[in-house]
Amino acid sequence: MATPSPVSEPLRRDAIDVVVFDAMGVLYSCADDVGELLVPFLRGKGCVLERRDIDDLYHACSLGKMSSADFWAAAGVPGAPDDEYCRGHRLTDGVVTVLAELDTTGVRLACLSNDVSEWSKVLRERFGLAEYITDWVVSGDVRVRKPDPEAFTGLCRGLDVVPDRVLLIDDRAENVMAARAAGLQALRFGAAGLSTMEQLRRELRPW
Protein backbone atom coordinates (compact mmCIF):
# COMPACT_ATOMS: atom_id res chain seq x y z
CA MET A 1 0.00 0.00 0.00
CA ALA A 2 1.33 3.44 -0.89
CA THR A 3 2.28 5.72 1.98
CA PRO A 4 -0.07 8.72 2.07
CA SER A 5 1.31 12.19 1.48
CA PRO A 6 1.59 14.36 4.61
CA VAL A 7 -0.91 16.77 3.04
CA SER A 8 -3.19 14.38 1.16
CA GLU A 9 -5.66 13.33 3.84
CA PRO A 10 -8.75 15.54 4.03
CA LEU A 11 -9.50 17.20 7.34
CA ARG A 12 -12.51 16.12 9.35
CA ARG A 13 -13.19 19.69 10.42
CA ASP A 14 -16.33 18.84 12.40
CA ALA A 15 -14.25 16.43 14.49
CA ILE A 16 -11.55 18.82 15.71
CA ASP A 17 -11.59 19.96 19.34
CA VAL A 18 -7.92 20.95 19.63
CA VAL A 19 -5.50 22.47 17.13
CA VAL A 20 -1.88 21.82 18.09
CA PHE A 21 0.92 23.89 16.60
CA ASP A 22 4.57 22.96 16.36
CA ALA A 23 6.87 25.81 17.42
CA MET A 24 9.98 25.97 15.24
CA GLY A 25 9.05 26.23 11.58
CA VAL A 26 5.38 26.89 12.34
CA LEU A 27 4.82 29.44 15.11
CA TYR A 28 8.36 30.73 14.64
CA SER A 29 9.85 31.24 11.21
CA CYS A 30 13.16 29.44 11.75
CA ALA A 31 12.73 25.68 11.32
CA ASP A 32 16.38 24.75 11.99
CA ASP A 33 16.91 26.79 15.13
CA VAL A 34 20.02 24.86 16.12
CA GLY A 35 21.83 25.31 12.83
CA GLU A 36 20.62 28.80 11.97
CA LEU A 37 20.40 30.42 15.41
CA LEU A 38 21.99 28.44 18.23
CA VAL A 39 25.29 27.50 16.60
CA PRO A 40 26.01 31.05 15.31
CA PHE A 41 25.08 32.46 18.73
CA LEU A 42 27.47 30.07 20.46
CA ARG A 43 30.25 30.82 17.97
CA GLY A 44 29.77 34.52 18.63
CA LYS A 45 30.27 33.81 22.32
CA GLY A 46 33.52 31.91 21.68
CA CYS A 47 32.23 28.32 21.77
CA VAL A 48 34.73 25.96 20.11
CA LEU A 49 32.79 22.69 20.44
CA GLU A 50 32.28 20.53 17.35
CA ARG A 51 28.82 20.74 15.81
CA ARG A 52 28.00 17.16 16.79
CA ASP A 53 28.81 17.97 20.43
CA ILE A 54 26.53 21.01 20.33
CA ASP A 55 23.80 18.83 18.85
CA ASP A 56 24.24 16.28 21.65
CA LEU A 57 24.08 18.95 24.34
CA TYR A 58 21.01 20.53 22.80
CA HIS A 59 19.28 17.16 22.48
CA ALA A 60 19.93 16.40 26.15
CA CYS A 61 18.73 19.84 27.23
CA SER A 62 15.59 19.57 25.09
CA LEU A 63 14.83 16.31 26.88
CA GLY A 64 15.08 17.99 30.28
CA LYS A 65 18.32 16.26 31.21
CA MET A 66 19.98 19.58 32.01
CA SER A 67 18.89 23.16 32.58
CA SER A 68 19.61 25.92 30.09
CA ALA A 69 22.21 27.28 32.53
CA ASP A 70 23.93 23.90 32.52
CA PHE A 71 23.76 23.86 28.71
CA TRP A 72 25.48 27.24 28.40
CA ALA A 73 28.16 26.17 30.86
CA ALA A 74 28.78 22.87 29.06
CA ALA A 75 29.01 24.76 25.75
CA GLY A 76 31.73 26.96 27.19
CA VAL A 77 29.69 30.15 27.51
CA PRO A 78 28.58 30.22 31.17
CA GLY A 79 26.22 33.00 32.07
CA ALA A 80 24.75 33.41 28.59
CA PRO A 81 21.23 34.73 29.18
CA ASP A 82 18.32 32.86 27.66
CA ASP A 83 16.59 36.06 26.57
CA GLU A 84 19.64 37.24 24.64
CA TYR A 85 19.70 34.04 22.61
CA CYS A 86 15.93 34.07 22.05
CA ARG A 87 16.06 37.54 20.48
CA GLY A 88 17.07 35.86 17.23
CA HIS A 89 13.69 34.15 16.85
CA ARG A 90 10.90 35.67 14.78
CA LEU A 91 7.21 34.86 14.47
CA THR A 92 6.03 33.37 11.20
CA ASP A 93 4.26 36.03 9.16
CA GLY A 94 0.53 35.93 9.76
CA VAL A 95 0.57 33.46 12.64
CA VAL A 96 -1.07 35.81 15.14
CA THR A 97 -3.94 36.43 12.71
CA VAL A 98 -4.51 32.68 12.38
CA LEU A 99 -4.34 32.13 16.15
CA ALA A 100 -6.72 35.00 16.83
CA GLU A 101 -9.21 33.76 14.26
CA LEU A 102 -9.13 30.22 15.60
CA ASP A 103 -9.50 31.54 19.13
CA THR A 104 -12.84 33.14 18.22
CA THR A 105 -14.21 29.76 17.12
CA GLY A 106 -13.85 28.27 20.59
CA VAL A 107 -11.44 25.56 19.44
CA ARG A 108 -8.73 24.82 21.99
CA LEU A 109 -5.20 25.80 20.95
CA ALA A 110 -2.03 24.04 22.09
CA CYS A 111 1.65 23.76 21.22
CA LEU A 112 3.70 20.56 21.03
CA SER A 113 7.36 21.47 20.71
CA ASN A 114 10.79 19.90 20.81
CA ASP A 115 12.54 22.65 22.74
CA VAL A 116 14.44 23.64 25.84
CA SER A 117 11.96 24.43 28.61
CA GLU A 118 13.41 27.82 29.53
CA TRP A 119 13.68 29.01 25.93
CA SER A 120 10.10 28.01 25.15
CA LYS A 121 8.87 30.10 28.08
CA VAL A 122 10.93 33.13 27.08
CA LEU A 123 9.59 33.02 23.53
CA ARG A 124 5.90 32.56 24.35
CA GLU A 125 6.09 35.44 26.86
CA ARG A 126 8.02 37.68 24.48
CA PHE A 127 5.48 37.26 21.68
CA GLY A 128 2.36 37.06 23.85
CA LEU A 129 1.33 33.70 22.44
CA ALA A 130 -0.14 32.49 25.72
CA GLU A 131 -3.03 34.87 25.02
CA TYR A 132 -4.20 32.34 22.43
CA ILE A 133 -2.41 29.07 23.17
CA THR A 134 -3.48 27.73 26.52
CA ASP A 135 -1.56 24.45 26.61
CA TRP A 136 2.21 24.12 26.07
CA VAL A 137 3.69 20.63 25.88
CA VAL A 138 7.44 21.07 25.61
CA SER A 139 9.93 18.21 25.35
CA GLY A 140 12.15 19.79 27.99
CA ASP A 141 9.26 19.49 30.45
CA VAL A 142 7.77 16.13 29.47
CA ARG A 143 11.11 14.50 28.54
CA VAL A 144 10.02 13.03 25.24
CA ARG A 145 10.56 14.41 21.74
CA LYS A 146 8.59 14.06 18.53
CA PRO A 147 8.33 11.79 16.59
CA ASP A 148 8.34 9.39 19.56
CA PRO A 149 4.75 8.03 19.73
CA GLU A 150 4.63 8.88 23.44
CA ALA A 151 4.85 12.58 22.55
CA PHE A 152 1.45 12.32 20.88
CA THR A 153 -0.24 9.91 23.25
CA GLY A 154 1.04 11.94 26.20
CA LEU A 155 -0.30 15.11 24.61
CA CYS A 156 -3.76 13.61 24.29
CA ARG A 157 -3.70 12.28 27.85
CA GLY A 158 -2.68 15.66 29.18
CA LEU A 159 -5.38 17.45 27.21
CA ASP A 160 -7.96 14.77 28.04
CA VAL A 161 -9.00 14.47 24.41
CA VAL A 162 -9.26 11.50 22.06
CA PRO A 163 -6.55 11.52 19.37
CA ASP A 164 -8.79 11.73 16.32
CA ARG A 165 -10.23 15.03 17.57
CA VAL A 166 -6.78 16.64 17.59
CA LEU A 167 -5.23 18.39 14.59
CA LEU A 168 -1.44 18.74 14.60
CA ILE A 169 0.25 21.31 12.36
CA ASP A 170 3.96 20.52 12.02
CA ASP A 171 6.64 21.30 9.45
CA ARG A 172 8.43 17.92 9.61
CA ALA A 173 7.05 15.02 7.60
CA GLU A 174 8.22 12.45 10.15
CA ASN A 175 6.24 14.18 12.89
CA VAL A 176 3.13 14.42 10.72
CA MET A 177 3.26 10.74 9.86
CA ALA A 178 3.96 9.72 13.47
CA ALA A 179 1.02 11.83 14.66
CA ARG A 180 -1.28 10.14 12.15
CA ALA A 181 -0.01 6.73 13.24
CA ALA A 182 -1.00 7.72 16.79
CA GLY A 183 -4.52 8.54 15.57
CA LEU A 184 -4.29 12.34 15.29
CA GLN A 185 -5.24 14.40 12.28
CA ALA A 186 -2.19 16.23 10.95
CA LEU A 187 -1.04 18.69 8.30
CA ARG A 188 2.48 19.45 7.15
CA PHE A 189 3.11 23.18 7.16
CA GLY A 190 5.65 24.17 4.51
CA ALA A 191 4.50 21.60 1.97
CA ALA A 192 3.38 22.72 -1.48
CA GLY A 193 0.16 24.68 -1.16
CA LEU A 194 0.54 24.98 2.60
CA SER A 195 3.67 27.10 3.02
CA THR A 196 2.15 30.34 4.34
CA MET A 197 -0.20 31.18 7.16
CA GLU A 198 -2.75 32.50 4.67
CA GLN A 199 -2.73 29.14 2.89
CA LEU A 200 -3.12 27.40 6.25
CA ARG A 201 -5.99 29.72 7.11
CA ARG A 202 -7.77 28.77 3.89
CA GLU A 203 -7.10 25.07 4.52
CA LEU A 204 -8.77 25.27 7.91
CA ARG A 205 -11.94 26.91 6.56
CA PRO A 206 -14.80 26.55 7.12
CA TRP A 207 -14.61 26.52 10.89
Side-chain angles (χ1 to χ4, degrees), residues 29-89:
S29 59
C30 182
D32 180 14
D33 54 320
V34 176
E36 295 181 23
L37 298 176
L38 181 58
V39 171
F41 180 83
L42 288 172
R43 296 291 183 239
K45 294 289 186 181
C47 174
V48 296
L49 291 180
E50 296 287 342
R51 171 61 192 266
R52 63 178 177 273
D53 295 323
I54 294 174
D55 287 341
D56 289 345
L57 284 174
Y58 170 77
H59 191 267
C61 196
S62 70
L63 281 172
K65 295 180 179 179
M66 64 173 68
S67 67
S68 63
D70 290 338
F71 170 86
W72 297 126
V77 289
D82 296 327
D83 58 351
E84 181 183 359
Y85 163 62
C86 289
R87 286 181 202 136
H89 291 74

Side-chain angles (χ1 to χ4, degrees), residues 2-191:
T3 301
S5 163
V7 293
S8 65
E9 295 184 2
L11 292 181
R12 302 187 303 281
R13 292 178 180 84
D14 60 346
I16 297 173
D17 294 329
V18 185
V19 178
V20 181
F21 291 83
D22 175 36
M24 303 307 162
V26 180
L27 294 176
Y28 309 115
S29 59
C30 182
D32 180 14
D33 54 320
V34 176
E36 295 181 23
L37 298 176
L38 181 58
V39 171
F41 180 83
L42 288 172
R43 296 291 183 239
K45 294 289 186 181
C47 174
V48 296
L49 291 180
E50 296 287 342
R51 171 61 192 266
R52 63 178 177 273
D53 295 323
I54 294 174
D55 287 341
D56 289 345
L57 284 174
Y58 170 77
H59 191 267
C61 196
S62 70
L63 281 172
K65 295 180 179 179
M66 64 173 68
S67 67
S68 63
D70 290 338
F71 170 86
W72 297 126
V77 289
D82 296 327
D83 58 351
E84 181 183 359
Y85 163 62
C86 289
R87 286 181 202 136
H89 291 74
R90 299 287 182 269
L91 285 178
T92 299
D93 289 343
V95 69
V96 172
T97 298
V98 171
L99 293 176
E101 187 170 291
L102 287 174
D103 188 53
T104 65
T105 69
V107 69
R108 188 174 179 181
L109 302 181
C111 176
L112 178 63
S113 174
N114 291 342
D115 200 1
V116 172
S117 178
E118 294 89 343
W119 301 347
S120 177
K121 291 175 183 175
V122 168
L123 288 171
R124 78 185 75 151
E125 291 172 3
R126 174 188 168 196
F127 291 113
L129 296 182
E131 178 180 350
Y132 307 106
I133 298 176
T134 57
D135 300 277
W136 295 80
V137 182
V138 180
S139 62
D141 296 325
V142 299
R143 303 199 171 199
V144 62
R145 288 172 52 94
K146 299 173 292 184
D148 188 318
E150 177 57 28
F152 307 106
T153 56
L155 167 78
C156 294
R157 283 198 307 271
L159 298 179
D160 192 25
V161 62
V162 294
D164 64 2
R165 299 194 70 87
V166 177
L167 169 64
L168 174 74
I169 300 166
D170 200 293
D171 66 313
R172 296 185 182 272
E174 61 267 31
N175 294 339
V176 168
M177 301 308 287
R180 288 182 176 167
L184 285 69
Q185 300 188 61
L187 292 172
R188 185 183 176 192
F189 185 72

